[in-house]
Amino acid sequence: MTYSSSDRIVSALGEWIAVAPAGAQLPSTRQLVARFEASPVTVQKALRTLVGQGVIESRPGIGTFVRGIRAVRPNDYGWQTAALGSPQHRVPASSAALRTTPNDVIALHSGYPDRELLPERLVRAAFARAARSEAAVSRSPAAGLPELQSWFAAELGAITPTGLTAPAVRDVVILPGSQSGLGTLFRALVGAGRPLLIESPSYWGAMLAAAQVGVQLVPIPSGPRGPNPDDLDRAFAQTGARAFYAQPNFANPTGGQWSAELGDAVLGIVREHGAFLIEDDWAHDFGITSDSVPVAARDDSGHVVYIRSLTKSVSPSVRVAGVIARGPARDRILADTQAQEMYVSSALQAVAVDVVTQPAWRTHLRSLRQQLTSRRDLLVDALREHAPTARLDAVPCGGLNLWLRLPDDTNLLQLARECEARGVIIAAGDDWFPAEPTGRYLRLNYSGPNPSAFSEAARIIGQALTNRQ
């Protein structure tokens, strides 16, 4: 565990605060700098931490003081039950993948890559340039900055086969991240109370967005090689659905990638049924032994609506995504976006386009591929050695996760608790099923911090699985 200078100050001041009377004034920042031989920035960071913990309070122009303990009295919020009524749609609880954890645990649960896998230098420089540009004080066009629209269109257009029409700049709508974008797509293309076909297992955030919109999910079994076209065709015929949400490349959670033949088969089915394929290319930048090849590149008839986020590969602070849609569908998506968000921050869009158009961006992606390869293989080997009762049906060609099948009698809740008690945070697979889970699974993220601890994490998981038998 890293013990920084600010942590040291927080610890020392915490001991003093614990015995100090309420209202006692802390030494000034200058005095603390001298006492701890730290910079003013470090001292201020420590004070902000203590303020966040609720043990001190700052009075501008006066000083910082120990907070008094306020008596807690019970509040009766029962009146809100009648005022709110029953919820129209049951929204799933937040996934374990969103949990924040202390630095002294081995975190395999997160949905985001570790900071060291991000192009931090490029991002910081882009934010500095954006702060000095017109983007910092201007409003973006409703569909997005033309430069960023052009980049998304050109990226997909570069792999569009000869004979098909590449997407135009006008076909692109910029959204504030893919999670918001999925809600927009489900409202605009499906609508409340209507069926949406979805791979099972699938991204929990898509299920959350569907629940918020009121869409009825229809699960289509899917695995490392994608869904069975016959199952998809039958579901379209039986339900009358007009959209299928899928992740053809490096699916979350399975890591699966469709073959070109499956992509063509699915494209033929959605065309036959007059439907949409909502293609989520969330892991476009995370190829390892394969590249992401979007189905959207092989469709110019408007049947594929393509969404591609930059948040995970650029920075969690740059919540920007692009949707490529053609025809009236694009207009409905734009109208919904305007109704929900009005526009996306010009500054964030400027940062995004700055980063991805730098020559160093391609260099970063090559380095990222090497790092993901190393991390994936390290965790795979550790699990095979220390957790032999867990089965990995396929080593993913890209993405951030391993989808691990456990013995059918595994109690996932107990397993997660035992692993956490021993310092390993895992994500139970139930969150990724739109209906009842078809087995016991773990989704383990190999892009998280401290890959040197993967072997220890696998050993703890293996021992916990043995203890459950």
Side-chain angles (χ1 to χ4, degrees), residues 115-139:
R115 178 172 165 177
E116 69 178 29
L117 298 180
L118 301 178
E120 185 171 338
R121 182 180 59 82
L122 293 179
V123 172
R124 289 183 181 278
F127 267 107
R129 283 189 285 269
R132 298 191 298 268
S133 72
E134 287 297 314
V137 292
S138 62
R139 178 173 64 86

Side-chain angles (χ1 to χ4, degrees), residues 89 186 190-198 207 209-219 239 241-243 434:
H89 310 292
F186 296 164
V190 182
R194 296 180 178 177
L196 169 68
L197 308 188
I198 183 171
M207 292 178 260
Q212 291 175 320
V213 173
V215 166
Q216 297 178 354
L217 293 179
V218 180
T239 66
R242 288 295 174 262

Side-chain angles (χ1 to χ4, degrees), residues 59-78:
R59 302 173 190 171
I62 302 175
T64 306
F65 299 83
V66 177
R67 288 191 66 180
I69 300 176
R70 297 184 177 135
V72 178
R73 64 182 182 86
N75 290 295
D76 181 9
Y77 299 117

